[in-house]
Amino acid sequence: MKNFLSLTMLAAASTASPVLLPRAEGLVYNYTNSFGLAFSQMNASLPNITVFATGGTIAGSGSSSSSTTGYSIGSVTVSALIDAVPEVLNISNIAGVQISNVGSEDITSDILLKLAKQINEVICGDPTMSGAVVTHGTDTMEESAFFLDSTVTCGKPVVIVGAMRPSTAISADGPSNLLQAVTVAVDPKSKDRGALVVLNDRIASAFYITKNNANTLETFKPVEQGFLGVLTSDEPFYYYPAVTPTGKISFDISSVTSIPRVDILYSYQNMQNDTLYNAVSSGAKGIVIAGAGAGGVSTSFNYALEDVINRFSIPIVQSYRTNAGEVPQSDVSSTTATHIGSGFYTPQKSRILLGLLLATGNSFDDISSAFAKSRAA
């Protein structure tokens, strides 16, 4: 849809309207693009970037400069975030949109739909926009990044960034991460790589990245696949040209209004079958198992899986609870029910993918085929 949004309309689509960011003294002129995003520019030749803020630690504050735990999440606005890093104005003209201001555990599918649709419209739909930066909490960042990787497909850079330490910490990593994210977003070499995650001097594909540590700065890693690139003195360097990950699926969400509920169940010794039936009775339309090893569950629970698949026609994807690996179809196949091996998708990314497949009207067989594209075996 090509209708142009006024400031009022765009404000209604998010929790706050685009903000006009102050600039240092000097030659300044105002520019409002056709989608209502307001820029205050010092150099009209610089790329235009919009920062979509959702909250998280990067927008958090603590009681002291030494507090790196127990801080308040989502207490700093997008305007304050950008004002704290004036260096971004040397490389781009910035507009900001406050999508939400919550911890990433409170990011919902409704927020993700709103975010993806806004990026598709005001970034992909405007030739004057070079890309987007999304500030986000790290705990569920990989899920939101994977969602954007699957639903924003115009080729412009979409860079997701966060922090492991709050903005008030003496060793806060947020300002440097934000500057690097904007630097990556304006780099022409960042195009056609899907959504990117930038933290701690590293550039990674949202398709593969996962959080590996609850506390340390060097937490986001694509364990098997490796990083796409590195930043040295805030200069991006890519190891490889742009390439599409094997099995990647893109979705048109322009007509999607909601994402069906998909639950994740964690496999463990003496796992009880009632957890599965409770998920079904509570409204789950799809289920992902974080299985032991390559998707493994107990014999009793496997019987329950087959009962649910056959009686309720609910797709069940078997993934892994380990930090990396693959669930090949041969490890979950059965002659009495259609089990689905997740391939290389983690449980959390399997949940996002299964939800999008259900939301876009795919059949059971289509869902099984979609996951098969990511499997090596």
Side-chain angles (χ1 to χ4, degrees):
M1 185 171 61
K2 298 299 290 182
N3 59 310
F4 295 147
L5 300 181
S6 66
L7 281 172
T8 304
M9 292 171 65
L10 192 55
S14 65
T15 56
S17 61
V19 293
L20 182 65
L21 301 173
R23 291 295 193 260
E25 293 297 325
L27 180 62
V28 178
Y29 69 95
N30 295 329
Y31 166 71
T32 301
N33 73 3
S34 57
F35 290 96
L37 291 174
F39 295 83
S40 181
Q41 299 175 323
M42 288 188 297
N43 185 345
S45 66
L46 291 177
N48 292 329
I49 296 293
T50 298
V51 176
F52 296 86
T54 68
T57 296
I58 194 171
S61 60
S63 58
S64 72
S65 61
S66 61
S67 297
T68 57
T69 61
Y71 47 83
S72 174
I73 292 175
S75 56
V76 178
T77 65
V78 62
S79 182
L81 276 177
I82 301 171
D83 284 347
V85 192
E87 291 83 359
V88 299
L89 307 182
N90 297 325
I91 57 175
S92 64
N93 299 307
I94 299 285
V97 176
Q98 193 81 49
I99 293 289
S100 64
N101 209 354
V102 298
S104 65
E105 296 87 349
D106 289 323
I107 295 292
T108 65
S109 58
D110 288 340
I111 292 175
L112 291 179
L113 274 174
K114 179 172 67 177
L115 174 60
K117 287 185 176 184
Q118 284 203 23
I119 293 174
N120 276 321
E121 188 154 21
V122 304
I123 304 299
C124 294
D126 185 347
T128 71
M129 294 298 301
S130 294
V133 170
V134 178
T135 63
H136 197 287
T138 60
D139 285 352
T140 69
M141 178 184 287
E142 63 193 90
E143 295 168 63
S144 296
F146 182 78
F147 187 95
L148 295 176
D149 187 61
S150 302
T151 57
V152 180
T153 58
C154 63
K156 291 184 180 180
V158 176
V159 181
I160 299 89
V161 65
M164 291 298 292
R165 294 173 179 170
S167 62
T168 50
I170 194 170
S171 55
D173 54 326
S176 176
N177 287 344
L178 181 58
L179 176 59
Q180 291 187 345
V182 175
T183 303
V184 169
V186 301
D187 191 332
K189 296 189 297 295
S190 299
K191 295 178 180 178
D192 299 317
R193 294 181 183 271
L196 302 171
V197 174
V198 172
L199 282 96
N200 200 40
D201 302 329
R202 301 294 192 273
I203 308 169
S205 165
F207 191 84
Y208 289 122
I209 197 73
T210 190
K211 188 172 183 178
N212 289 263
N213 190 289
N215 311 107
T216 62
L217 295 185
E218 192 171 357
T219 175
F220 280 91
K221 299 177 182 178
V223 178
E224 295 288 343
Q225 297 83 8
F227 292 102
L228 298 182
V230 66
L231 291 110
T232 303
S233 297
D234 291 336
E235 287 291 329
F237 177 81
Y238 285 102
Y239 303 128
Y240 316 104
V243 65
T244 301
T246 300
K248 178 177 175 178
I249 302 170
S250 298
F251 295 88
D252 178 1
I253 57 166
S254 58
S255 299
V256 174
T257 58
S258 64
I259 305 294
R261 172 174 169 173
V262 176
D263 286 357
I264 299 176
L265 301 180
Y266 194 91
S267 177
Y268 52 89
Q269 292 179 351
N270 204 37
M271 187 178 187
Q272 300 301 303
N273 297 348
D274 58 5
T275 60
L276 176 63
Y277 291 105
N278 287 341
V280 175
S281 64
S282 296
K285 303 304 181 186
I287 293 171
V288 174
I289 306 297
V297 295
S298 69
T299 301
S300 172
F301 199 83
N302 191 65
Y303 288 144
L305 290 181
E306 300 207 341
D307 180 46
V308 167
I309 293 168
N310 291 326
R311 276 209 295 147
F312 301 103
S313 296
I314 289 178
I316 296 179
V317 176
Q318 290 175 247
S319 184
Y320 47 84
R321 70 182 193 184
T322 55
N323 206 33
E326 181 201 3
V327 178
Q329 187 61 25
S330 57
D331 278 17
V332 299
S333 289
S334 168
T335 59
T336 53
T338 305
H339 299 246
I340 301 172
S342 72
F344 289 98
Y345 292 114
T346 62
Q348 51 270 39
K349 291 181 180 179
S350 294
R351 187 189 73 85
I352 295 290
L353 177 57
L354 181 53
L356 285 168
L357 287 164
L358 290 168
T360 49
N362 287 274
S363 68
F364 203 111
D365 288 341
D366 292 336
I367 292 170
S368 182
S369 297
F371 277 91
K373 294 177 182 178
S374 77
R375 294 194 295 260

